């Protein structure tokens, strides 16, 4: 009865034992806009990567039936040939090339084999720009000079030139402002009239309910349900419940701490973008942490949590930073990382391999790197190497780093043990305030539990802990109090009693909606 | 529970650790063994001409400037960069020293100090562009290679300036105080011999001291036999050299400079906070910055230091040649870079030692020297040196890939 352009049935995808997709069924009707909703890590992007052939046939279970045929894509080129085009969150445009060059990147108009026909390229580029409503743009302008919104539309133009039938957009509006988002959504509706089917992955439920015909929610790698606009009204609360409604089991060790006075407080904190100093990244942030308290920061990706942490930690992010940091009742000024270390503030960064560790060096070397000046040398000159070994051994035992020796190169450790080395590195700097950014990302459940136990013992020692995480259950399980950050603003503060995922998601959605109306 | 597992761990630890240390030591001494083998081959091919006292002396004197440069270059290479300007800076500073002494009759010690200061200024000049403007060191030093080669031609009017006075040439071609004795028809220089004995004793004492210290804190010491063999080889090498010097003219003055630099820089790189920071910047710049290291400042000092050492090499070169020429120091940067990479420095940065760079420089020097003694043409020499560099890095990369898989 339905004309389905795509049916994905019983899709299973595993990553070294971890089931990212567990029997997912996903059906898209021809000519609709279908929204795919779910939390961070629910499996939305994985599903789209399976569809587009990034994970080739054979690495997943189940079938992809596209235009009534079973498809076995080996790479993204094959799916593109059939008219499936995916536009990722990070745009695949080359800023230094012109609009026309970008539109035909990898799909050039050639004569004789390899000679580019510039006349046809420019003519066709102008045509496709007209189709997406950008007819006044010069096809020879550099893509880097366009705003993000227009860049996103150039990606769509690029897809149109590949004769797209099924367009997949991964968080298309996450980097756009209200006006740009509107333009993009209008374009999607326009393309629908031209007969193009779209799948839109989005967190922004107001946008989803505005443009989409059907909505599928997935959670923990499973399809929860598909809501059909034709049959029933679209209820945002229902979608939220679908996205987050999982049971919390006892994954989190209990903690008994007397919370003390406020030791760390940030007031009226404003930060502008590093690359683009006109764009405000964080707007008037206020928060505080008590002694022995674990305070969480929840928010969607790109909400500005890491930026907030790094701007506080020695101004390692941002420009035109203003505001106050108060520690133990006195205002402190932190100009650089060494200053932060001296003031006993520590930041455990989110990507341990890129920001936390020197992978080619050994455990003791990495552990002492942040405290060489203050602890492992006389006046910052000669290193006390024996002390390093003793301290590293002590911490390996204390937080159970599984290694045969402190001379082991950290690149050879498992993710969980690497994370413990980074934690030890910052525990060695004797901080009063620890900011942990995604402390359990990419590590297994057992190691997670150990990290949680370390966090608990830090709180018990009277440290103030700030925890940033994209895993909502983790925040709910570990934190005494939560701040919800959205688009660079504190959208709400949630005490322990009121913590539940739906509530937090609602705060975010209300904030998004509120911002929209305020702008209008 | 912890106690038991910890005890169990310690048993494993020692076995694994020993194995690993053996492998590491082998790697560390691999280059030295390669150097001895190459030296042996040329000794054999040249009827032991290259072990003659005069030749050993020349080996040190001819390579002193490259060794000085490769020490500075090592620091650049540790951050994953190079300095292409050193050859030109050597020529420029050497020329300025010659002009100051010959044309302006400035006292030699003052001229030397001023030249070194100019080297520092050149380093600051390069460091400014690299650290404060964030221009790639490759580009900055490439530009300055042209600038200072040109300036050398300008200040020298394209001509050779010389001869330098004897008190100055002593820096590059002279000797430390000499006491000659005759024993059985052989003339020996006593102080060189004594220095050999003294250094040998010092090395033994240092090793014993380190063992004692480790034992005191309760750390594992390598088996005594390993230490004995290591000490034996080191002492043989030291006394081989001092004996040869003693049979010729005694200890060269540049040897003292070189040894001093090697000791100082080996200490800085292995045992000080600034040294550790250089490795951190080379190993992972972002992680270093988030650990409180001012990466720009580290880069600045590395290039400033390179300027100082290039000026020192310039002085030594002018002294040894007794003149300054516009072509002086040509391709020295390449020799210094090659020395670092042959000596095991990772091209991406973060890995490398002063000893390695010095051994690398010696390998190049022994090759040069041996091939010259055999009468091979300069063209062939270049080909062989190039192939040796390629082979050294290829072996290193191959071993690393094997280790990964």
């Amino acid at each position: 009865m339905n004309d389905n352009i795509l049916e994905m049935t019983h899709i299973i995808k595993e990553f070294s034992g971890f089931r990212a997709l567990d029997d997912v069924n996903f059906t898209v009707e021809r000519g609709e806009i279908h929204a795919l909703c779910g939390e961070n890590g629910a499996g939305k992007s994985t599903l789209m990567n399976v569809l587009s052939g990034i994970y080739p046939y054979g690495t997943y279970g189940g079938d992809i039936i596209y235009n009534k045929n079973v498809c076995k894509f080996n790479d993204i080129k094959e799916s593109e040939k059939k008219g499936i085009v995916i536009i990722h969150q990070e745009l695949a445009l080359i800023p230094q090339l012109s609009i026309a060059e970008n539109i035909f990147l990898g799909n050039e108009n050639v004569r004789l084999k390899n000679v580019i026909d510039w006349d046809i390229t420019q003519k066709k580029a102008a045509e496709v720009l007209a189709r997406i409503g950008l007819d006044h743009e010069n096809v020879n302008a550099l893509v880097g000079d366009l705003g993000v919104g227009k860049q996103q539309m150039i990606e769509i133009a690029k897809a149109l030139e590949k004769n797209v039938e099924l367009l997949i957009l991964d968080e298309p509006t996450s980097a756009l402002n209200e006006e740009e988002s509107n333009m993009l959504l209008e374009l999607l509706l326009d393309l629908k009239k031209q007969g193009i089917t779209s799948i839109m992955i989005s967190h922004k439920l107001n946008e989803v309910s505005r443009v989409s015909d059907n909505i599928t929610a997935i959670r923990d790698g499973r399809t929860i349900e598909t809501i059909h606009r034709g049959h029933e009204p679209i209820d945002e609360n229902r979608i939220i419940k679908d996205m987050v409604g999982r049971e919390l089991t006892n994954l989190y060790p209990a903690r008994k701490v007397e919370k003390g006075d406020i030791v760390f407080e940030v007031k009226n904190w404003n930060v502008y973008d590093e690359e683009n100093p006109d764009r405000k990244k964080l707007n008037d942030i206020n928060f505080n942490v008590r002694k022995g308290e674990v305070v969480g920061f929840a928010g969607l990706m790109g909400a500005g949590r890491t930026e907030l942490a790094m701007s506080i930690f020695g101004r390692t992010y941002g420009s035109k930073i203003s505001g106050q940091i108060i520690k133990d009742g006195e205002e402190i000024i932190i100009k650089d990382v060494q200053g932060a270390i001296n003031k006993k503030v520590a930041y455990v960064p989110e990507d341990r391999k890129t920001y936390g560790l020197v992978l080619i060096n050994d455990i003791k070397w990495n552990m002492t790197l942040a405290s060489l000046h203050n602890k492992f040398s006389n006046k910052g000159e000669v290193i006390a190497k024996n002390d390093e070994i003793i301290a590293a051994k002590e911490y390996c035992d204390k937080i159970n780093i599984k290694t045969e020796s402190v001379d082991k190169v950290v690149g050879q450790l498992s993710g969980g043990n690497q994370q413990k080395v980074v934690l030890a590195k910052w525990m060695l700097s004797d901080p009063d305030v620890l900011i942990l950014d995604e402390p359990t990302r990419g590590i297994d459940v057992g190691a997670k539990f150990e990290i949680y136990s370390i966090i608990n013992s830090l709180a018990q020692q009277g440290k103030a802990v700030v925890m940033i995480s994209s895993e909502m259950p983790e925040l709910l399980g570990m934190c005494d109090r939560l701040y919800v950050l959205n688009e660079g603003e504190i959208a709400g503060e949630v005490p322990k009693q009121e913590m539940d995922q739906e509530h937090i998601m609602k705060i975010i959605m209300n904030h998004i909606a509120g911002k929209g109306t305020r702008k209008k | 529970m912890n106690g038991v597992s910890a005890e169990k761990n310690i048993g494993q630890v020692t076995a694994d650790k020993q194995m690993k240390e053996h492998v590491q030591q082998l790697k560390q001494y691999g280059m030295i063994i390669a150097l001895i083998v190459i030296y042996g081959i040329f000794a054999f091919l040249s009827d032991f001409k290259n072990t003659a006292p005069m030749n050993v002396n020349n080996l040190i004197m001819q390579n002193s400037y490259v060794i000085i440069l490769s020490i500075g270059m090592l620091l650049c290479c540790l951050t994953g960069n190079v300095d292409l300007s050193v050859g030109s800076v050597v020529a420029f500073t050497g020329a300025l020293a010659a002009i100051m002494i010959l044309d302006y009759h400035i006292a030699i010690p003052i001229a030397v100090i001023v030249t070194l200061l100019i080297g520092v200024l050149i380093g600051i000049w390069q460091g400014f562009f690299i650290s404060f403007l964030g221009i790639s060191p490759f580009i900055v030093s490439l530009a300055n290679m042209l600038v200072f080669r040109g300036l050398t031609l300008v200040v020298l009017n394209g001509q050779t300036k010389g001869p330098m006075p004897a008190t100055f040439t002593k820096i590059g071609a002279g000797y430390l105080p000499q006491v000659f004795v005759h024993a059985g028809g052989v003339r020996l220089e006593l102080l060189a011999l004594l220095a050999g004995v003294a250094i040998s004793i010092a090395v033994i004492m240092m090793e014993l001291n380190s063992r004692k210290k480790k034992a005191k804190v309760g750390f594992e010491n390598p088996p005594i036999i390993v230490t004995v063999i290591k000490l034996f080889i080191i002492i043989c090498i030291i006394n081989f050299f001092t004996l040869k010097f003693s049979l010729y003219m005694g200890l060269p003055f540049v040897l003292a400079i070189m040894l001093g630099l090697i000791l100082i820089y080996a200490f800085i790189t292995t045992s000080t906070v600034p040294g550790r920071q250089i490795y951190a910047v080379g190993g992972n710049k972002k992680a270093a910055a988030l650990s409180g290291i001012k990466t720009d400042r580290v880069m600045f000092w590395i290039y400033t230091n390179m300027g100082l050492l290039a000026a020192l090499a310039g002085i030594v070169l002018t002294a040894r040649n007794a003149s300054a020429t516009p072509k002086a120091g040509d391709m020295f940067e390449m020799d210094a870079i090659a020395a670092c990479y042959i000596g095991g420095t990772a091209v991406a940065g973060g890995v490398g030692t002063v000893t390695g760079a010095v051994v690398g420089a010696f390998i190049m020097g022994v090759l040069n020297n041996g091939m010259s003694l055999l009468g091979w043409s300069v063209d062939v020499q270049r080909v062989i040196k190039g192939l040796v560099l390629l082979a050294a890095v290829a072996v290193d990369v191959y071993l690393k890939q094997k280790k990964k898989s």
Side-chain angles (χ1 to χ4, degrees), chain B residues 237-309:
Chain B
I237 294 173
I238 293 168
N239 286 284
F240 170 81
F241 276 103
T242 49
L243 181 66
K244 294 289 176 183
F245 293 139
S246 160
L247 285 168
Y248 189 61
M249 297 287 286
L251 296 170
F253 191 75
V254 285
L255 183 72
I257 298 178
M258 258 169 48
L259 282 182
L261 288 177
I262 293 171
L263 287 177
I264 292 168
Y265 282 88
F267 179 74
I268 291 176
T269 50
T270 58
S271 300
T272 67
V273 175
R276 182 69 64 89
Q277 293 183 338
I278 296 172
Y279 285 92
V281 170
N284 183 346
K285 203 170 182 176
K286 289 175 184 163
L290 280 178
S291 304
I293 296 169
K294 299 189 171 70
T295 55
D296 287 344
R297 208 178 281 179
V298 171
M299 293 299 286
F300 179 80
W301 285 114
I302 287 172
Y303 279 86
T304 305
N305 173 68
M306 188 73 248
L308 172 68
L309 289 183

Side-chain angles (χ1 to χ4, degrees), chain A residues 313 336-338 341 353-355 357-358 365 370 372 377 380-383 385-386 388-390 404 407 425-426, chain B residues 13 16-17 20 217 219 267 270-273 276-277 279-280 283-284 286-287 289-292 294 350-351:
Chain A
F313 185 66
D336 52 27
V337 176
Q338 187 63 48
I341 294 170
K353 288 189 178 175
T354 314
Y355 298 104
L357 296 167
V358 181
W365 195 101
L372 283 177
S377 62
E381 297 303 329
V382 182
I383 295 172
K385 288 189 183 174
N386 288 344
E388 281 189 303
I389 300 173
I390 294 167
E404 59 272 26
D407 299 326
K425 167 178 164 182
W426 288 104
Chain B
V13 168
D16 275 5
K17 204 176 154 187
K20 223 169 254 165
V217 203
F219 293 161
F267 179 74
T270 58
S271 300
T272 67
V273 175
R276 182 69 64 89
Q277 293 183 338
Y279 285 92
N284 183 346
K286 289 175 184 163
L290 280 178
S291 304
K294 299 189 171 70
V351 179

Side-chain angles (χ1 to χ4, degrees), chain B residues 59-140:
Chain B
L59 205 55
I60 296 292
M61 286 195 174
Q62 277 167 1
N63 290 300
S64 53
Y65 15 92
V66 172
I67 287 169
I68 294 170
L69 291 175
S70 54
I71 290 171
M73 190 65 79
L74 173 78
L75 305 188
C76 303
C77 291
L78 281 179
T79 66
N81 292 296
V82 290
D83 186 340
L84 296 175
S85 72
V86 291
S88 301
V89 177
V90 163
F92 182 64
T93 50
L96 288 185
I99 290 167
M100 276 190 276
I101 291 165
L102 293 179
D103 295 355
Y104 294 92
H105 307 290
I106 292 170
I108 289 170
I110 294 173
V112 166
I113 289 168
V114 171
T115 310
L116 292 177
L117 283 177
I118 290 168
V120 170
L121 284 178
I122 293 172
I124 290 174
W125 162 256
Q126 296 218 75
F128 169 77
F129 289 102
I130 292 165
S131 299
F132 294 99
L133 297 183
I135 305 174
S136 128
F138 185 89
I139 305 292
V140 172

Side-chain angles (χ1 to χ4, degrees), chain A residues 367-414:
Chain A
M367 273 192 189
T368 57
L369 195 59
S371 17
L372 283 177
H373 263 283
N374 298 350
K375 223 177 185 179
F376 294 100
S377 62
N378 51 357
K379 297 175 205 148
E381 297 303 329
V382 182
I383 295 172
K385 288 189 183 174
N386 288 344
D387 291 356
E388 281 189 303
I389 300 173
I390 294 167
K393 281 190 171 162
E394 184 194 326
Y395 271 82
C396 280
D397 287 343
K398 200 163 158 185
I399 63 175
N400 197 19
I401 297 172
K402 293 174 199 81
T403 174
E404 59 272 26
S405 131
V406 293
D407 299 326
K408 188 156 180 163
V409 171
V410 292
Q412 294 169 359
L413 297 175
S414 69

Side-chain angles (χ1 to χ4, degrees), chain A residues 235-402:
Chain A
D235 175 9
E236 289 186 17
N237 287 336
R238 180 165 156 195
I239 305 173
I240 292 173
K241 193 159 190 155
D242 285 344
M243 282 162 66
V244 299
R246 92 184 91 185
E247 275 181 68
L248 284 185
T249 44
N250 198 12
L251 291 167
Y252 309 98
R255 172 176 73 233
K256 273 207 187 89
V257 191
E258 281 283 302
K259 284 185 282 281
D261 298 333
I262 292 175
V263 282
F264 192 71
E265 197 170 5
V266 171
K267 278 186 178 169
N268 309 325
W269 197 250
N270 289 294
V271 177
Y272 286 80
D273 195 285
E274 213 162 45
E275 310 291 326
N276 177 5
D278 293 331
R279 192 182 180 130
K280 203 164 192 181
K281 198 76 191 178
L282 294 167
N283 185 23
D284 198 31
I285 304 283
N286 291 284
F287 73 90
N288 59 54
V289 196
R290 290 172 183 278
K291 199 171 150 83
E293 190 182 32
V294 180
V295 168
F297 272 88
L300 302 172
M301 273 178 205
R305 291 168 299 167
T306 296
E307 289 80 359
L308 173 62
M310 289 180 73
S311 64
I312 292 168
F313 185 66
R315 311 190 171 200
T316 42
Y317 171 86
S319 58
K320 295 199 278 183
I321 297 172
S322 65
Q324 274 183 309
I325 301 174
I326 294 158
K327 186 164 169 280
D328 298 321
E330 278 174 41
E331 180 171 3
I332 56 169
I333 289 165
I334 300 175
K335 282 194 191 133
D336 52 27
V337 176
Q338 187 63 48
I341 294 170
N342 293 341
K343 298 284 184 204
K344 301 204 172 293
V345 176
Y347 170 64
V348 179
E350 71 176 320
D351 179 349
R352 57 184 166 270
K353 288 189 178 175
T354 314
Y355 298 104
L357 296 167
V358 181
L359 292 170
I360 53 174
N361 286 103
D362 60 28
I363 294 176
K364 59 174 189 305
W365 195 101
N366 272 286
M367 273 192 189
T368 57
L369 195 59
S371 17
L372 283 177
H373 263 283
N374 298 350
K375 223 177 185 179
F376 294 100
S377 62
N378 51 357
K379 297 175 205 148
E381 297 303 329
V382 182
I383 295 172
K385 288 189 183 174
N386 288 344
D387 291 356
E388 281 189 303
I389 300 173
I390 294 167
K393 281 190 171 162
E394 184 194 326
Y395 271 82
C396 280
D397 287 343
K398 200 163 158 185
I399 63 175
N400 197 19
I401 297 172
K402 293 174 199 81

